[in-house]
Amino acid sequence: MKKTIIFLIFVFTFQFGFAQFEANYDENKIPDFELPDPLTTFKGKKVNNAKKWEKKRRPELLKFFTQNVYGEVPEKLNIASFKVIEESNDAINGKATRKQVELSFKKNDLKLDFTILIYLPKSVENAPIFTGYNFFGNHTVSNDVNVIISDAWARNNESLGIINNQLTEQSRGVRDNRWAIEKMIDSGYGLATIYYCEIDADMDDFADGIHPFFYDKNQTQPGSAEWGSISAWSWGLSRAMDYFEKDSGIDESKVILFGHSRLGKTSLWAGATDQRFAAVISNDSGCGGAALSKRKIGETVGRINNSFPHWFCRNFRAYNNNEKALPVDQHQLLALIAPRPVYVASAEEDKWADPHGEFLSAFYATPVYQLYGKEGIPSIEMPEVNQPIQNTVSYHIRTGKHDVTDFDWEQYIKWADQFVK
Ligand code: GCU
């Protein structure tokens, strides 16, 4: 008897535990859920014009996402100084200028620097730019030998030559396939990119990066409503924007945020919190990015908070396996960007990021854009693969994997020509 009970407990625990970790990819197994209406306030009031949206609904949504999803930035901190550490008039086959600008931040005895790599087309005086973080260092985005290798922490990766958490020459240019720089330059756009771990190392540890700048004595991690890493990285993008406003080569009214995957989540949050950004591109951002959480398909809130406990604020954990209780969903994050253009892109094989949920998010954000007379996603039917819908709210699903491809960049440039330039 005793043995049977122990056996049953074992089977139950195993099954339950396993079920928790198995991702669902079946649309038929999506739990019933009601998607919160972007145009009805938490108190049930209808919002029918842009003024009410801006005065009532947008602020309450922004506040909820700030305190319960990504986390508050504790205090303001301006750039202490910046320095152009390298520049050239002869980059990208002579068509662009290159500049590497180091921004420095100081508080008490703490210091943090990050370097923005900037390419600008020589053919344009005051260039619109794409901007966003890279995963493995500025030197990986092109084969340009003059790009400085960051000495910030990096996750070890033998095939990329990352040893002892340090980036090396071996990875120069390894991600040039993800950054169509020459296409951008030829189309009259610049690029500004930063290695994201210079702002905060991507590990479950709040001892380094920007977080400790605001700790009280003996504090070792942010408060439960305070910023996780995504919010810290998006803070870094806003500080880069502070710099862009000072650079006469850049048109600061035409800065388009771009981000892939976790860095797509970051760009969406930066676009929602900082209205100086002209437009946002989310490439395969998935859970905690463009994908609807309540669908619980692919990666879920519980799963992401377990695997990456440092990305969101601690309050977000209240929704682990409890998405039903969320009074918001990610279509409202997209709506926070309105009326500025937003582009959500998915990849057919990227089931983990829930392409259908990313599409629906763009569709359900559309009513907010319509308050401004802007066109979004006209139908709930997903477009065919490689058939972009390009409006102020845009969407495409391309063939292939979780990645950034030339196809993606061709669409982003075409769209930016129409809605940003
Ligand atoms: C993991 C994570 C995703 C994230 C991705 C990435 O797959 O689960 O949420 O988007 O990493 O950033 O590459």
Side-chain angles (χ1 to χ4, degrees):
M1 179 68 184
K2 208 170 156 192
K3 268 192 185 155
T4 324
I5 290 173
I6 291 173
F7 176 72
L8 284 174
I9 289 174
F10 175 77
V11 169
F12 180 78
T13 321
F14 179 76
Q15 289 240 326
F16 185 67
F18 197 70
Q20 273 213 316
F21 284 99
E22 213 178 6
N24 173 42
Y25 292 108
D26 184 350
E27 291 268 341
N28 297 315
K29 291 191 182 142
I30 291 177
D32 283 342
F33 68 87
E34 210 180 306
L35 210 57
D37 178 4
L39 295 180
T40 305
T41 66
F42 290 137
K43 285 196 173 144
K45 288 229 161 70
K46 282 270 171 217
V47 171
N48 48 17
N49 60 50
K51 200 166 162 211
K52 276 193 206 153
W53 161 258
E54 282 173 23
K55 278 204 90 169
K56 286 251 175 299
R57 184 58 170 152
R58 188 180 188 277
E60 70 173 15
L61 283 172
L62 185 61
K63 187 169 174 199
F64 187 89
F65 277 104
T66 302
Q67 298 183 337
N68 299 283
V69 183
Y70 302 99
E72 288 172 329
V73 178
E75 277 172 46
K76 210 173 158 185
L77 183 71
N78 293 326
I79 303 171
S81 61
F82 70 84
K83 178 161 90 207
V84 177
I85 45 181
E86 191 272 347
E87 66 186 317
S88 160
N89 209 18
D90 183 17
I92 317 290
N93 296 324
K95 300 178 196 172
T97 60
R98 178 188 58 243
K99 215 193 270 191
Q100 301 185 66
V101 186
E102 185 185 74
L103 309 192
S104 299
F105 299 86
K106 286 194 183 109
K107 192 160 182 245
N108 303 327
D109 51 353
L110 294 175
K111 193 172 176 291
L112 182 137
D113 302 320
F114 66 81
T115 301
I116 317 176
L117 167 65
I118 304 168
Y119 291 110
L120 295 175
K122 283 193 197 167
S123 57
V124 185
E125 225 171 80
N126 195 223
I129 61 167
F130 292 101
T131 192
Y133 286 115
N134 59 73
F135 275 85
F136 294 107
N138 294 348
H139 70 296
T140 63
V141 306
S142 76
N143 279 302
D144 184 340
V145 294
N146 298 293
V147 179
I148 299 158
I149 300 180
S150 169
D151 57 12
W153 179 93
R155 185 172 313 288
N156 284 337
N157 183 326
E158 224 177 294
S159 69
L160 295 180
I162 307 173
I163 308 154
N164 298 325
N165 302 114
Q166 287 303 299
L167 299 165
T168 62
E169 188 61 45
Q170 196 184 316
S171 48
R172 187 175 298 282
V174 289
R175 284 292 180 273
D176 68 339
N177 55 313
R178 283 192 176 178
W179 299 90
I181 303 178
E182 196 155 354
K183 271 199 183 73
M184 296 178 210
I185 298 292
D186 288 342
S187 313
Y189 294 90
L191 170 70
T193 184
I194 306 161
Y195 174 45
Y196 78 130
C197 291
E198 293 202 337
I199 286 80
D200 181 33
D202 190 1
M203 57 176 157
D204 182 18
D205 167 345
F206 286 108
D208 53 16
I210 194 66
H211 294 102
F213 276 59
F214 307 105
Y215 289 164
D216 291 334
K217 230 173 144 199
N218 303 325
Q219 192 180 347
T220 55
Q221 60 172 329
S224 48
E226 286 182 343
W227 53 354
S229 294
I230 290 176
S231 177
W233 297 324
S234 81
W235 171 89
L237 291 171
S238 286
R239 302 294 70 77
M241 183 56 154
D242 296 344
Y243 167 77
F244 300 150
E245 290 181 327
K246 296 183 168 65
D247 188 325
S248 60
I250 295 173
D251 182 346
E252 74 270 20
S253 71
K254 291 181 182 151
V255 177
I256 307 162
L257 283 165
F258 161 82
H260 170 60
S261 211
R262 71 196 65 182
L263 302 177
K265 308 181 208 297
T266 301
S267 287
L268 286 170
W269 185 234
T273 50
D274 191 335
Q275 296 186 313
R276 294 175 298 170
F277 291 109
V280 188
I281 300 164
S282 149
N283 193 93
D284 306 356
S285 63
C287 181
L292 293 176
S293 301
K294 289 177 191 281
R295 282 167 48 85
K296 298 183 77 169
I297 255 196
E299 190 171 30
T300 60
V301 171
R303 192 75 185 251
I304 204 166
N305 279 330
N306 275 318
S307 316
F308 306 98
H310 57 296
W311 282 3
F312 300 88
C313 70
R314 279 206 306 290
N315 281 346
F316 194 39
R317 297 180 196 172
Y319 303 99
N320 287 357
N321 208 15
N322 185 25
E323 287 84 347
K324 242 193 165 118
L326 262 172
V328 298
D329 211 330
Q330 299 303 107
H331 59 309
Q332 295 169 325
L333 171 70
L334 303 183
L336 290 174
I337 297 165
R340 294 162 295 151
V342 64
Y343 199 132
V344 175
S346 313
E348 196 179 17
E349 292 168 37
D350 188 17
K351 304 274 188 234
W352 183 238
D354 184 17
H356 191 194
E358 294 185 311
F359 168 76
L360 289 174
S361 209
F363 173 74
Y364 285 113
T366 292
V368 177
Y369 280 81
Q370 287 169 337
L371 291 182
Y372 292 89
K374 305 276 182 194
E375 224 180 310
I377 304 297
S379 148
I380 198 164
E381 288 306 313
M382 257 178 109
E384 296 293 308
V385 284
N386 305 330
Q387 299 291 325
I389 300 173
Q390 296 211 339
N391 286 322
T392 303
V393 184
S394 287
Y395 179 83
H396 75 237
I397 176 165
R398 63 156 169 78
T399 39
K401 292 199 233 316
H402 186 70
D403 199 357
V404 193
T405 66
D406 279 358
F407 175 86
D408 293 321
W409 277 112
E410 280 155 21
Q411 312 319 311
Y412 301 151
I413 290 170
K414 227 189 281 170
W415 170 74
D417 282 348
Q418 214 184 322
F419 295 97
V420 185
K421 226 183 198 173

